[in-house]
Amino acid sequence: MPEIDLSERHYELFSPPSDVRGMTKLDRTAFKKTVTIPVLKVRKEIVSKLMRSLKRVALQRPGIKRVIEDPEDEESRLIMLDPYKMFTDDSFEKAELSILKQLNVSPQISKYNLELTYENFKSEEILRAVLPEGQDVTSGFSRVGHIAHLNLRDHQLPFKHLIGQVMIDKNPGITSAVNKINNIDNTYRNFQMEVLSGEENMITKVRENSYTYEFDFSKVYWNPRLSTEHSRITEFFKPGDVLFDVFAGVGPFAIPVAKKNCTVFANDLNPESHKWLLHNCKLNKVDQKVKVFNLDGKDFLQGPVREELMQQLGRLSKERTHSVHIVMNLPAKAIEFLSAFKSLLDGQSCGSELLPIVHCYSFSKDANPAKDVQQRAEAVLGTSLDACSSVHLVRNVAPNKEMLCITFRIPAVILYKNQILNLEKHEEPPLKRQRTDKSFSKENTQIV
């Protein structure tokens, strides 16, 4: 008998009871349900051999055993079959019937009443059954150590505590579920959150790219979706290079770069981030390679960064072979801080190939986000970046909102006071072209 696609009916069979709709306080006992499943009775000693031949028709349902004991015969077992593939004995294919015959197994199908409980349902199935019909269901979250970080929509808020408990129940290792209740604060890059369910402890530990970070998630900024970007920037560095991390957070750029035997100057205005940055440097054994500051980004650039650049780009710069990078990961405002580079240094400029490389992050809702970010950076600096910049798509933050990173070498005419460029002698070498995300079309990307 031909198989038919009845995925919707299959979902209905294995969905929670309909009377849980509208539940706001989790009652696990209300999810009990009995379904009738076709089963095949076989001798227990041939189960393993037979299962390989019955993959097509065996029940494929996470959390439900495909082979159970026969309550009427301890020498036999019952193989659970897919109720939408096995209607009658004739539903077996010829090859399957041949194997059954070889093993002396009757193809007769029996029925078994299977009791489903809360434990048998996936989080998405539970929430789809509970939330108002036809509305979006969230089963995804950002995992930050033991914390599930959700961003619930308005229609989900009446069910927030139930959703939080389901996330904890269905995800091993998660012991707390929180919901963001406002946007990230531009000053300290943290946000208010509400504990929906589980423990109140927000001090957590995460592992990213072989490094360990500890912090109070309620007081600092951490985004697990930036793991790939942290690695991408780290790849630019070679032993001996220098990093100035203007908005360092708890160290996801500073620590991996320091591990590559580089010199790192890391800063964050948030006192909590500063505290955990110091802690994480010790935790990852790079505290001797990282100088940590608790300053406003502009003060950091015009103070410690300026002083160090005067030495790095000074009289001995001709002998210098290492690179200097400045990372500015504050997408909501970082471009505004580029003005701090204008006339930052005194004296004669170094060779253009020794000028610092900036990696500046920004959001854009423009139809051509790469062009938008470059033009905004140029407007702040007051010069064109056509010859020395590239733009990389980091991630899609929301519909029609992208996070990007513009990388450029600071033009000497900007960095040095009263600097007059002789374009014939000081030609800015372009950086290597950087690939953008495949989903970021060429029409929306400007790489120069």
Side-chain angles (χ1 to χ4, degrees), residues 205-266:
K205 177 188 290 188
V206 300
R207 187 84 173 160
E208 181 185 273
N209 302 327
S210 302
Y211 304 101
T212 301
Y213 303 90
E214 294 179 348
F215 48 83
D216 186 335
F217 185 53
S218 66
K219 296 179 180 179
V220 305
Y221 176 79
W222 180 268
N223 189 340
R225 293 186 175 94
L226 294 179
S227 171
T228 301
E229 181 62 12
H230 297 152
S231 293
R232 186 185 74 88
I233 293 297
T234 302
E235 288 299 313
F236 281 108
F237 289 82
K238 297 177 181 178
D241 286 352
V242 177
L243 166 64
F244 297 102
D245 194 350
V246 185
F247 312 105
V250 298
F253 286 116
I255 288 169
V257 170
K259 276 288 189 181
K260 297 184 78 171
N261 201 26
C262 298
T263 300
V264 177
F265 298 79

Side-chain angles (χ1 to χ4, degrees), residues 419-443:
Q419 176 67 38
I420 300 177
L421 282 181
N422 183 329
L423 296 178
E424 294 180 359
K425 295 182 179 180
H426 298 279
E427 188 178 32
E428 302 286 355
L431 293 173
K432 293 182 179 179
R433 293 167 65 93
Q434 298 175 10
R435 291 187 303 168
T436 58
D437 189 280
K438 293 180 180 178
S439 64
F440 204 45
S441 65
K442 292 182 179 178
E443 291 79 7

